[in-house]
């Protein structure tokens, strides 16, 4: 095991698998059901956020008001639509499967940390696990309905590191969204950002790459060392 890297924490939609577009498809569909058309800018702003946040963005973009009951029904409609799409064949993001395999081969603890609710995440998790029949791909999975606050709050990543028994400063978060990057950095982790549908702004502690292709454990170890050098512990 590397000397400094204690664990790797992966986002799911848009980071490991090509599932983020399913949420977009469902949100565009909901907007049409409500008599409008979701703008591309509004869709981009929803990437990596909670459903509650996505609904606020959608309603503001369409210029409509929905009651709490109507919003809850809209969320249920979107989640049901996404469930049907997630049950189809899994498509990995470039380099993601290879990186996950390399991390597991190095006997490093891993966690999947997603804003997606458990009932939907399990549809993807089952397919990811099927691709790793010999060694389970994750030691821990944390879903959006199992945390006190969702990304960009650091709570999901702090919950994962606490459950794994590791110091966040010794961990790398792999993310594709601004909300996920903010959560990982706020938790005190080094963050590898690989944008999919949303551009990511440079930030201290964040390393940006166009793809996970060619990224290995040694690269993640270097991220931790650089992060620790930039922000030495007291």
């Amino acid at each position: 095991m590397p000397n400094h890297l204690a664990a790797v924490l992966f986002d799911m939609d848009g980071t490991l698998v090509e599932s983020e577009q399913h949420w977009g498809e469902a949100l565009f569909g909901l907007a049409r059901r409500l008599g409008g058309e979701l703008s591309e800018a509004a869709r981009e702003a929803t990437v990596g956020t909670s459903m509650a946040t996505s609904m606020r963005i959608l309603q503001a973009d369409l210029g409509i008001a929905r009651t709490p009951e109507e919003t809850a029904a809209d969320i249920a409609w979107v989640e049901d639509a996404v469930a049907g799409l997630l049950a189809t064949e899994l498509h990995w993001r470039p380099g993601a499967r290879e990186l996950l395999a390399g991390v597991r081969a190095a006997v490093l603890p891993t966690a999947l940390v997603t804003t997606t609710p458990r009932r939907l995440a399990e549809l993807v998790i089952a397919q990811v696990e099927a691709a790793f029949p010999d060694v389970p791909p994750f030691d821990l999975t944390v879903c959006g309905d199992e945390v006190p606050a969702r990304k960009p709050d650091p709570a999901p990543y702090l919950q994962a590191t606490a459950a794994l028994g590791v110091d966040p400063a010794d961990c790398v978060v792999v993310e594709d969204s601004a909300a996920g990057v903010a959560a990982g950095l706020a938790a005190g982790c080094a963050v590898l950002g690989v944008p999919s549908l949303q551009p990511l702004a440079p930030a201290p502690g964040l390393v940006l790459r166009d793809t996970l292709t060619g990224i290995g454990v040694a690269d993640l170890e270097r991220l931790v060392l650089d992060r620790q050098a930039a922000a030495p512990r007291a």
Side-chain angles (χ1 to χ4, degrees):
M1 179 185 294
N3 293 326
H4 302 279
L5 178 59
V8 184
L9 315 175
F10 292 94
D11 173 55
M12 187 178 77
D13 298 311
T15 299
L16 283 180
V17 297
E18 297 278 12
S19 51
E20 184 60 56
Q21 68 270 26
H22 296 333
W23 291 97
E25 185 174 337
L27 288 170
F28 283 124
L30 174 63
R32 288 189 290 271
R33 281 171 57 90
L34 297 177
E37 193 67 39
L38 185 67
S39 70
E40 291 292 342
R43 163 56 189 144
E44 183 181 295
T46 67
V47 173
T49 66
S50 68
M51 282 303 302
T53 299
S54 293
M55 289 299 102
R56 287 194 293 271
I57 293 169
L58 181 146
Q59 290 165 13
D61 190 56
L62 297 184
I64 62 173
R66 301 283 279 169
T67 67
E69 293 76 17
E70 289 172 332
T71 298
D74 291 343
I75 289 173
W77 187 92
V78 168
E79 290 185 348
D80 287 344
V82 171
L85 295 168
L86 289 177
T88 62
E89 182 182 0
L90 176 75
H91 294 283
W92 291 88
R93 291 280 292 157
R97 181 174 180 173
E98 293 78 8
L99 176 57
L100 183 54
V103 169
R104 295 313 270 163
V107 200
L108 280 164
T110 59
L112 181 75
V113 184
T114 177
T115 300
T116 300
R118 172 66 64 178
R119 77 177 182 97
L120 301 181
E122 282 293 345
L123 298 172
V124 175
I125 292 169
Q127 295 187 66
V128 173
E129 289 177 342
F132 289 83
D134 298 325
V135 179
F138 308 113
D139 296 293
L140 174 73
T141 57
V142 177
C143 297
D145 50 353
E146 300 168 343
V147 292
R150 300 187 182 188
K151 306 171 188 178
D153 194 282
Y157 283 115
L158 292 176
Q159 182 169 314
T161 55
L164 291 174
V166 295
D167 188 331
D170 298 329
C171 299
V172 171
V173 162
V174 185
E175 272 282 359
D176 75 302
S177 72
V181 166
L185 292 176
C189 303
V191 180
L192 175 60
V194 186
S196 58
L197 299 178
Q198 183 184 64
L200 298 177
L206 169 65
V207 172
L208 294 171
R209 293 289 183 268
D210 292 332
T211 174
L212 292 176
T213 300
I215 301 293
V217 172
D219 300 295
L220 303 184
E221 170 89 351
R222 195 171 302 114
L223 262 62
V224 167
L225 291 173
D226 290 347
R227 170 75 164 167
Q228 292 172 351
R233 297 180 222 180

